[in-house]
Amino acid sequence: DASISMYATLSSSASQISYGQAFSVNTKAANVSGKNFSGSLAIAVFDDSFNFVEFVGEMSNVTLENNYALNSLSFETTGLLSMLPGDYHLYLCYKNNGGDWKIANDYGGYTNYASLKVIYYSDIELYADLRITNGPIKKGQTVNVSYNVANTGSSTFRGTYALGLYYMDGSFGQLLGTTVDNNGLPPSSVYNSEITVTSPAIDLEPGTYLMALQYQANGASNWTLVGSYYKVNPIKVIVEEAPMKPDAYEPNNDVVSAYDLNLNYFNNAASWSSNITNVHQESDVDFFRVDFEKDYIYTLDIKISDLNKTYSSKTYTLDSRFSLSDDGVFWSPTYINQLPTALKVNGKDKDYVLIRVVPAFAGLTGDYDLTVTINRESTLSTDALSRQFAISPNPANESLQIISTTKAESYEVRQTNGASILKGKLDETQKIHIAPLNPGVYFLKLESQSGMQTIKFIKE
């Protein structure tokens, strides 16, 4: 790519400006790279710690052939509120089309550098930093700010201080609070203790804002920005996303408090979904528990819809992982979104299984959906089951009456070749109509909460 070099030392219209004041930067530039240049030019502003602040007067669609110069470059701004009171460093930068910004080269004794100081003084000066005392500013939460001021004017100040948040272009965002002083702050004095403001709930979208302190003397019509002779005013602050609220399953942050799914089985099948669950803070870990009965073998399918993959039309924000344990001490490897194969559990061997959901990386928060689908099969012996259900008459012509102290919930009739020809749910009569069947031998499978039983019968 082509590069840009200085053809005159960088110069600013002023070495010192007042906060928000217009300024311009002038120079000349040459292309001695051996390639034609096509791209953009701008002045990059860096603070005293060499953090990038903003570009001034960006020029796009600039072309400069090799061994040619631009003899009159002027980059102007009507004022940058992002340049808070302090010291700044200015550089000419260039960018080839499709490339990254680079600092132009010094060339032939011409230097690519200019300094600029931003000041702002007033009769009322900020004397102690604008200090947020209750952590980061978050949408929907209040913020506490402490400060102190000095009266550098010639008369006692009586009036009001107002602290607010402003967009980076200087437009008003939200008032944080006001403080009225009718007793007066004498000249050459500060308050004995800091002033503290507690804001209402922050009602601004997440982003970067200016926090500014202003004052208005009693009887005055205008507000004046508090000066920055001792401390910087305004300051840049960040409004963060509103914190997530704990989900309905909290507290479930350890094995002891694991949320019990309390599954309800129908035809020995059950399904449970958390809908929207979350890791609402960095320390949040979610535990869930599935209990087993000793007379069943269980098949579990576990899925998590999250940022990576969703099994529904909803979208989720957490990148999650989950693992399993049957004792709360030893845990399986972590899984992403779904078990690779269904989990088989014999209720005689295990009382429960624990599911632990964590973020993929420490510190992540967001929501997800846990779904657990279970099928179970009774392990009761044939003899034991045969004592639960009987049918009458057998052989039969019109109907079969189920005789049992346990209610059968569903039935299925199969031929001797295994083909299913009749099935359904049973009502309170516990009667199955078989009149449409052709005469022959059949097998009747009955299911209840207690298990499953197959009985041979003859249709006359």
Side-chain angles (χ1 to χ4, degrees):
D1 289 341
S3 62
I4 296 297
S5 300
M6 303 304 293
Y7 204 54
T9 296
L10 200 68
S11 65
S12 174
S13 58
S15 60
Q16 179 174 288
I17 61 171
S18 184
Y19 177 60
Q21 181 181 333
F23 68 93
S24 63
V25 180
N26 302 291
T27 192
K28 299 176 183 179
N31 179 2
V32 291
S33 64
K35 298 179 181 180
N36 294 335
F37 173 79
S38 180
S40 302
L41 300 175
I43 298 299
V45 179
F46 295 85
D47 65 19
D48 208 30
S49 298
F50 284 92
N51 298 308
F52 174 75
V53 177
E54 198 162 336
F55 284 117
V56 173
E58 181 176 346
M59 301 176 183
S60 57
N61 300 318
V62 177
T63 59
L64 185 58
E65 294 182 9
N66 183 47
N67 290 327
Y68 279 79
L70 296 171
N71 289 314
S72 180
L73 289 174
S74 182
F75 303 86
E76 300 178 350
T77 175
T78 57
L80 296 177
L81 296 181
S82 57
M83 293 180 65
L84 307 177
D87 295 315
Y88 293 89
H89 310 278
L90 312 179
Y91 297 90
L92 174 65
C93 291
Y94 68 94
K95 179 177 69 171
N96 286 277
N97 289 334
D100 298 324
W101 285 102
K102 298 179 180 179
I103 295 177
N105 306 307
D106 293 342
Y107 178 72
Y110 300 120
T111 303
N112 183 12
Y113 175 76
S115 62
L116 182 62
K117 186 178 185 66
V118 178
I119 62 170
Y120 184 77
Y121 303 141
S122 184
D123 285 347
I124 301 297
E125 294 283 345
L126 187 65
Y127 192 73
D129 287 320
L130 294 171
R131 185 166 54 89
I132 301 168
T133 59
N134 61 336
I137 303 175
K138 296 186 178 183
K139 183 178 180 181
Q141 294 187 347
T142 62
V143 59
N144 298 329
V145 183
S146 295
Y147 64 88
N148 202 347
V149 297
N151 184 353
T152 61
S154 58
S155 61
T156 297
F157 172 78
R158 293 180 177 86
T160 304
Y161 303 102
L163 184 66
L165 293 177
Y166 297 81
Y167 295 96
M168 294 304 295
D169 64 0
S171 58
F172 177 73
Q174 180 177 350
L175 180 66
L176 299 182
T178 59
T179 302
V180 178
D181 178 11
N182 288 323
N183 294 323
L185 181 64
S188 302
S189 63
V190 301
Y191 290 106
N192 293 329
S193 59
E194 291 187 342
I195 298 170
T196 299
V197 171
T198 299
S199 75
I202 300 300
D203 192 28
L204 296 174
E205 293 303 313
T208 302
Y209 295 85
L210 296 172
M211 179 184 287
L213 180 64
Q214 299 186 81
Y215 67 96
Q216 183 185 56
N218 290 339
S221 59
N222 297 323
W223 288 89
T224 303
L225 186 66
V226 170
S228 299
Y229 182 80
Y230 301 105
K231 302 293 181 180
V232 175
N233 176 51
I235 61 173
K236 291 180 185 178
V237 296
I238 295 174
V239 174
E240 298 182 359
E241 287 279 3
M244 299 186 94
K245 295 181 179 179
D247 58 47
Y249 307 103
E250 293 287 351
N252 63 335
N253 298 321
D254 53 36
V255 170
V256 175
S257 62
Y259 181 83
D260 194 333
L261 269 55
N262 289 322
L263 297 168
N264 294 317
Y265 289 87
F266 180 75
N267 291 339
N268 283 318
S271 182
W272 181 89
S273 174
S274 65
N275 291 318
I276 296 181
T277 324
N278 64 46
V279 172
H280 67 283
Q281 59 186 16
E282 292 184 10
S283 60
D284 190 14
V285 177
D286 292 339
F287 289 82
F288 300 88
R289 174 175 171 140
V290 181
D291 290 317
F292 303 125
E293 297 178 35
K294 66 179 181 178
D295 295 326
Y296 293 92
I297 293 175
Y298 296 82
T299 304
L300 288 80
D301 183 27
I302 301 173
K303 297 179 180 178
I304 287 187
S305 294
D306 65 0
L307 181 66
N308 296 309
K309 185 175 183 179
T310 181
Y311 298 94
S312 68
S313 58
K314 297 179 181 178
T315 58
Y316 301 91
T317 58
L318 181 68
D319 185 1
S320 68
R321 303 288 186 270
F322 71 95
S323 55
L324 307 175
S325 174
D326 57 20
D327 59 9
V329 178
F330 298 99
W331 292 86
S332 72
T334 56
Y335 301 104
I336 302 174
N337 292 113
Q338 186 176 13
L339 287 175
T341 57
L343 176 67
K344 290 271 190 180
V345 178
N346 192 325
K348 289 183 178 180
D349 301 327
K350 306 295 181 184
D351 295 328
Y352 61 87
V353 67
L354 291 166
I355 306 168
R356 179 177 63 186
V357 182
V358 299
F361 303 99
L364 293 181
T365 59
D367 54 32
Y368 65 93
D369 176 27
L370 171 66
T371 301
V372 180
T373 303
I374 302 180
N375 290 285
R376 67 181 185 179
E377 182 179 348
S378 175
T379 58
L380 294 176
S381 68
T382 302
D383 291 340
L385 286 170
S386 67
R387 292 195 295 271
Q388 292 190 33
F389 296 112
I391 56 174
S392 179
N394 188 7
N397 186 25
E398 296 292 330
S399 63
L400 296 173
Q401 179 66 52
I402 300 169
I403 303 170
S404 177
T405 57
T406 300
K407 179 182 175 182
E409 296 177 344
S410 65
Y411 70 92
E412 183 177 13
V413 177
R414 291 181 179 268
Q415 294 176 316
T416 55
N417 64 2
S420 177
I421 58 172
L422 188 65
K423 62 182 176 180
K425 296 180 180 179
L426 288 161
D427 58 20
E428 295 296 330
T429 66
Q430 296 284 282
K431 184 177 289 188
I432 302 171
H433 297 280
I434 61 170
L437 299 181
N438 294 324
V441 177
Y442 296 89
F443 292 95
L444 172 65
K445 184 175 75 171
L446 298 171
E447 288 194 24
S448 72
Q449 290 289 337
S450 300
M452 183 172 56
Q453 179 183 347
T454 301
I455 304 173
K456 179 180 176 181
F457 74 94
I458 298 173
K459 166 65 168 60
E460 293 181 331

